[in-house]
Structures are given as C-alpha cells and as structure tokens.
Amino acid sequence: MASDNPTDIKDELSELVPFDPTKKKKKKKPVAQDPVEEVEKLVEPTENLSVEDAGESVFAGMKKKKKKQVELDIDDDEDGDGEENNDGKVVEDEQGEGIVFGVERFPWEGTDRDYKYEELLGRVFNTLRENNPLLAGDRRRTVMRPPQVLREGTKKTVFANFMDSCKTMHRQPEHVMNFLLAEMGTTGSLDGQQRLVVKGRFAPKNFEGILKRYINEYVICNGCKSADTILSKENRLFFLRCEQCGSSRSVAPIKAGFVARVGRRKAGA
Amino acid sequence: MSDFDTQIPTTFDPFAEASGDNAGAGSKEYVHIRVQQRNGRKSLTTVQGLKKEYSKTKILKDLKKEFCCNGTVVEDPELGQVIQLQGDQRKNVSTFLVQAAIVKKDQIKIHGF
C-alpha cells in the first residue's frame, strides 16, 4: 500500500517534465526583446519565468505554477544547460546559480512604476523556493471519495467503499475499523466483500465526520500537513512517520472508552 | 507581507509550554463525551473522565434540570463514575461544563458522529 505513493509521484514528475521546456520557450520569446538585458535573462531562465508568471497571472493560477516551478528547478539542477542550448542560445555557465541569484530581474526594472502585489508575491515565492523548497508549499491534494453508505435491514449500516478509503489513506483496515467502531460506540465487522457492516443507523455524513477526525489524528503529518505518512507500531506504541518531511510523532491508541449498556439485560448479569 | 507580521513572536512562547502551567493540571485528562444509539431514534450520552473532586451526582442534577432529561451516574470498575443522560446532549453538556468552569474547553473531547 505504502509503496504505491512514490510511484504516483514519479508518474506525475514524468508527466510534468517533458511539458516544461515548451512552456519555457514560449514564455521566453516575448521577453527577449531588448538585447542589452538578454544575457542576464538567459543566465537564469527559471527565475525570470516565474516572476513573469506571477505578474501575468492572477491568483487562481498560482497553485499550478508553483508545482511546475519546483519541477523546473529540479531539472535545471540535473541537466541545467541542455535545455537552454535547445533554445539555440548559448550561455556561459561559469557563473554558478549562486551568483545568478543576485542578478534576478523583475518586470518593474527600468521603469519607475509601483510594484504590483502579484509581482512581489512571486518574488517572495521565488526566493523561498530557491532557499528552502520545502516551505514553498507545493503539495498534491489527495482526494477521498465520499463514503457510500447503504442500509442493511433497519438496524445495520453498510459502509461500501470502506476498503477504498483505507487504501487512499494508506492505513490498515483493522485500524480504521477499530477507530470507527470506537467513535460510534457500536459493534461491527467486515463482510465477505470487504465492506464494513456497523450496527445502528448512520448517515453518510456521520461516517464522513469520523473519517475526517481519523485523518486529522492518524494520517496527517503535523509538521507539513501532508497525508503521505506511515503508521507503525513500536513496542506497543503507535508512531506516525511522515514520508515527506521525515518527522515522526506518537499517536494515541484507540480506546473505546465507556460503553453504556444498551438493550435488554439478562437476568443473570 | 502582511502575513509576516502576524508571525512575529509575542509573549506566548511555544517552547515553554511543556513545563508550563497546564502540565500540572493534567492536560492529558480529557473529558470524553460520547453518544450511543439505542433502539429507534433514541440515543444516550455518556460523560466520562470528570475529575474525582467533583460530585457527579450534583453535576447530574443540574444537567438533568438544564436539559430536561433523565440520567444516572454509573459506576465503572475502570473508568470510575460515568454520567449517562438520555438523548443526544453532547453539545449541551460541553457548553454546560465549560460555562460552569468545571472543565476547560480544550480538555473536552466529543466523540460520535
């Protein structure tokens, strides 16, 4: 289960990377108009690009761009100059990235107009990404499908896509089941088709609320809020380790707590 | 930029917390408020983990009067005295306990759907 995730990310990478160079070219052409500054521009194409991106686009596009930007940085590091040469312009790369950083260019350079908010924002994100890419907040959202809940008879409820939910969260079904049952204060079990059958009547909304709580407590990393975590048991304690940032924390064991006696009492007990 | 202003450290020091004031009060001792389904559309609310110093019967009396429901105090071998109330009174109970300053708001854990 856990091994699914890295491959996912890799897929995404490979989707994104070939897409980037074309984009770079497109963006670069309109910019490269005045010959004086062209050299500087070429030296740090990524920097340039993203600043313009931020300037052109409104907020709606930001998230997507952020993601791409990181990708860009990566492949610049790996085979940095290959792509620039593809553009047909040769750059001297004796200047390392470090120096380049100072030569950063902005759309407002040369004019004496005011800075736009978007431009400054882009600049902040640029520097942030440059120095510590972890903080720049490029994360994929994992989307959970809403629980499908059926009624079995009048007294039992079936959570049909229970396995599916467990898989998207990368958690053992037993653990999730324990939590759900403890929270709802009922009993239940997995049936033949791996659906969760719970005693009592519950609406899909109820399941959703509890799953949300489960995710907050047992899935999401406190440090970086990513859901890419692993729950492991080390001498009786559960630990949650984040795959993204490497942090780990202990989580509370699931306790059912007090369960009041519902239903008929037997004469003996 | 305006975001940055809010992150300037104030008198609250996030690192001092561990040895701070609420450690002695037992910050881990939550009061759990649960709901359980009964037959039909009836339900039952249980309040577990109130401190020993409080008289559960007196709290129960006020709860019953406030929410117009019946209830009892159940003796549990492990968890001590647990208050049971008729009906889904989770929100009522938590607001009551906070208002009466019996428990702090962050010590209450509401379970159930």
Side-chain angles (χ1 to χ4, degrees):
Chain A
M1 265 190 237
S3 59
D4 283 353
N5 218 16
T7 56
D8 278 356
I9 293 169
K10 251 174 216 148
D11 283 347
E12 214 170 8
L13 254 170
S14 56
E15 272 170 29
L16 283 172
V17 169
F19 180 62
D20 281 330
T22 60
K23 186 149 198 218
K24 210 187 266 176
K25 269 180 222 161
K26 222 186 273 168
K27 284 276 147 113
K28 204 177 270 172
K29 257 155 208 163
V31 179
Q33 278 160 357
D34 53 353
V36 189
E37 288 156 345
E38 201 171 325
V39 180
E40 285 175 2
K41 246 176 252 155
L42 288 176
V43 171
E44 184 64 333
T46 53
E47 206 102 69
N48 228 338
L49 214 178
S50 68
V51 168
E52 276 146 29
D53 275 354
E56 282 160 19
S57 70
V58 212
F59 242 95
M62 274 309 265
K63 196 120 200 205
K64 214 164 149 199
K65 292 226 165 89
K66 264 185 239 159
K67 200 185 272 176
K68 253 163 222 159
Q69 185 55 41
V70 172
E71 244 60 86
L72 271 179
D73 280 348
I74 289 167
D75 67 27
D76 255 7
D77 288 342
E78 284 165 357
D79 51 351
D81 309 303
E83 280 176 35
E84 281 151 38
N85 289 340
N86 282 349
D87 287 351
K89 297 155 190 166
V90 186
V91 193
E92 71 280 34
D93 32 35
E94 291 92 53
Q95 310 189 336
E97 316 269 298
I99 304 166
V100 166
F101 184 54
V103 205
E104 207 175 3
R105 271 195 67 262
F106 306 107
W108 58 78
E109 228 166 64
T111 64
D112 52 350
R113 67 188 176 86
D114 276 344
Y115 314 127
K116 276 187 202 139
Y117 174 73
E118 280 82 20
E119 290 164 358
L120 288 178
L121 190 72
R123 179 167 175 263
V124 163
F125 267 103
N126 243 353
T127 36
L128 190 64
R129 230 167 276 126
E130 196 79 23
N131 296 330
N132 30 4
L134 262 186
L135 296 178
D138 53 310
R139 36 184 83 103
R140 319 178 297 130
R141 287 181 64 91
T142 33
V143 182
M144 292 248 318
R145 231 163 283 149
Q148 293 166 349
V149 173
L150 318 165
R151 179 70 54 74
E152 193 175 277
T154 50
K155 290 194 172 168
K156 279 183 184 167
T157 312
V158 181
F159 184 172
N161 57 352
F162 175 66
M163 272 303 178
D164 215 35
S165 308
C166 293
K167 258 178 201 149
T168 49
M169 295 189 294
H170 305 291
R171 285 293 170 275
Q172 295 297 319
E174 289 81 39
H175 190 256
V176 183
M177 186 175 92
N178 280 342
F179 182 81
L180 284 178
L181 295 180
E183 279 296 295
M184 296 192 285
T186 50
T187 51
S189 57
L190 289 176
D191 73 355
Q193 298 150 303
Q194 301 290 290
R195 304 178 303 175
L196 180 69
V197 183
V198 176
K199 201 176 152 209
R201 295 189 206 172
F202 298 96
K205 199 175 75 200
N206 301 339
F207 281 98
E208 212 177 298
I210 298 175
L211 278 179
K212 254 181 211 158
R213 231 177 300 154
Y214 179 84
I215 290 169
N216 275 339
E217 212 161 318
Y218 293 100
V219 181
I220 282 190
C221 163
N222 268 3
C224 63
K225 299 275 179 287
S226 93
D228 188 9
T229 54
I230 289 177
L231 191 70
S232 59
K233 195 172 192 177
E234 288 162 34
N235 42 13
R236 286 201 221 161
L237 294 173
F238 277 110
F239 282 94
L240 190 70
R241 207 181 69 243
C242 178
E243 292 288 275
Q244 294 288 332
C245 67
S247 77
S248 101
R249 66 173 167 123
S250 66
V251 291
I254 298 171
K255 264 188 284 182
F258 177 75
V259 181
R261 195 192 183 119
V262 185
R264 265 184 292 132
R265 291 151 213 235
K266 272 178 200 142
Chain B
M1 281 303 170
S2 60
D3 256 317
F4 187 75
D5 287 345
T6 58
Q7 284 169 10
I8 289 171
T10 52
T11 50
F12 171 73
D13 181 10
F15 299 105
E17 189 189 24
S19 57
D21 46 339
N22 63 350
S27 52
K28 274 229 96 179
E29 285 167 17
Y30 287 110
V31 171
H32 299 273
I33 302 175
R34 295 195 173 80
V35 76
Q36 253 182 293
Q37 287 198 333
R38 283 185 52 215
N39 45 357
R41 47 179 298 177
K42 290 175 183 162
S43 50
L44 194 73
T45 310
T46 62
V47 183
Q48 170 208 323
L50 285 170
K51 278 200 207 126
K52 277 207 183 79
E53 294 90 86
Y54 297 115
S55 150
K56 311 287 185 306
T57 44
K58 279 191 179 159
I59 293 174
L60 177 70
K61 202 173 229 173
D62 279 351
L63 287 175
K64 278 160 73 167
K65 200 157 229 171
E66 187 85 9
F67 313 143
C68 302
C69 66
N70 208 346
T72 68
V73 173
V74 177
E75 198 74 48
D76 190 271
E78 283 163 36
L79 306 162
Q81 291 178 312
V82 179
I83 295 180
Q84 276 187 20
L85 292 166
Q86 287 180 359
D88 183 359
Q89 312 280 5
R90 284 175 294 165
K91 280 224 178 89
N92 294 337
V93 170
S94 76
T95 50
F96 179 91
L97 291 179
V98 171
Q99 253 173 17
I102 296 171
V103 214
K104 284 196 202 102
K105 184 146 198 197
D106 50 345
Q107 287 182 329
I108 293 183
K109 262 202 178 169
I110 298 184
H111 300 264
F113 31 86

